[in-house]
Amino acid sequence: VTPNDYPNSAGTAAKSVTVSKYPTPVISITGPESAIEGETKQYAVTHDAVVPVTITWDVNGTAYEGATIEVPFPATGSYNVAVTVYPTAYPDSSATSTKNVTVTTYPVPTVSITGPATAVEGETKHYAVTHDAVIPVTIAWSADGNTYTGTEVDIPFATPGDKTVAVTVTPDAYPASVGTSSLAVTVTQYPAPTITLNGSATANEGDTKHYTVTHDAVE
């Protein structure tokens, strides 16, 4: 500073100023770390920047933008969900966060059959299937050389022997995740009726005798 009338009486002062880079925002990702093949999951990023920011995402090479994104996972495997947030006016002050997501096949349904394990030849028995799938499924049965569909079925057993009632439950959207169950059924021969012959045990030549039969067969 120099007084106008006294140019030789100049005063000088100096201050050292350190200019640092704009602070990097603190960020975090919210969203699941697991998914089932074919599912779409939502991810969001939060940050503490107080100026406008630019947000970019990368999921195994696929780019997204915005604070919240919807990510489809078409196949099984490991996916890296990465997000970068930087103040728009200070692109060198970026922060990146990642989340690893494991994508698995749709779980195989747990399947069980209810119904009798014994039958008599010629009988028809009722069977039902239960399962824990929470999406639409296709149900297929097989027994004694025949096929059936539906949650509940009536199965005829035409011949005696050791039979197997089997059922498969297939999630419609995940045909590789098939749940199965089977039930062994013993089919016995229809019981021979107990019979009694009533009538005379003797006769004379030329006689006509009357005879009757009684039995316990149930027609």
Side-chain angles (χ1 to χ4, degrees):
V1 177
T2 303
N4 292 336
D5 294 334
Y6 306 97
N8 294 324
S9 300
T12 302
K15 183 179 287 289
S16 176
V17 178
T18 300
V19 180
S20 59
K21 188 168 69 171
Y22 192 86
T24 298
V26 176
I27 68 174
S28 64
I29 297 176
T30 58
E33 294 181 350
S34 62
I36 294 170
E37 60 175 326
E39 283 189 327
T40 295
K41 296 292 186 178
Q42 186 181 84
Y43 295 87
V45 63
T46 57
H47 61 84
D48 63 355
V50 294
V51 296
V53 298
T54 298
I55 300 173
T56 59
W57 299 78
D58 179 89
V59 182
N60 284 25
T62 300
Y64 299 86
E65 293 182 355
T68 301
I69 61 172
E70 301 286 335
V71 180
F73 296 102
T76 60
S78 180
Y79 291 76
N80 193 53
V81 178
V83 63
T84 299
V85 178
Y86 60 87
T88 305
Y90 307 97
D92 291 336
S93 298
S94 64
T96 299
S97 182
T98 62
K99 183 182 286 287
N100 185 261
V101 181
T102 300
V103 180
T104 58
T105 59
Y106 189 84
V108 173
T110 300
V111 180
S112 63
I113 297 174
T114 57
T118 60
V120 175
E121 66 172 316
E123 282 189 326
T124 295
K125 296 292 185 178
H126 187 76
Y127 295 89
V129 63
T130 58
H131 61 84
D132 60 359
V134 295
I135 61 174
V137 297
T138 297
I139 299 173
W141 298 79
S142 64
D144 206 14
N146 298 308
T147 58
Y148 308 88
T149 59
T151 303
E152 299 187 24
V153 294
D154 292 309
I155 298 176
F157 297 99
T159 59
D162 294 328
K163 313 290 183 176
T164 299
V165 175
V167 65
T168 62
V169 177
T170 305
D172 293 342
Y174 305 96
S177 299
V178 181
T180 63
S181 184
S182 63
L183 176 67
V185 179
T186 301
V187 182
T188 57
Q189 185 177 347
Y190 189 86
T194 301
I195 65 173
T196 302
L197 181 62
N198 305 295
S200 176
T202 62
N204 293 321
E205 181 181 4
D207 281 349
T208 297
K209 297 290 185 178
H210 183 75
Y211 295 90
T212 60
V213 65
T214 58
H215 62 85
D216 61 359
V218 179
E219 298 296 338

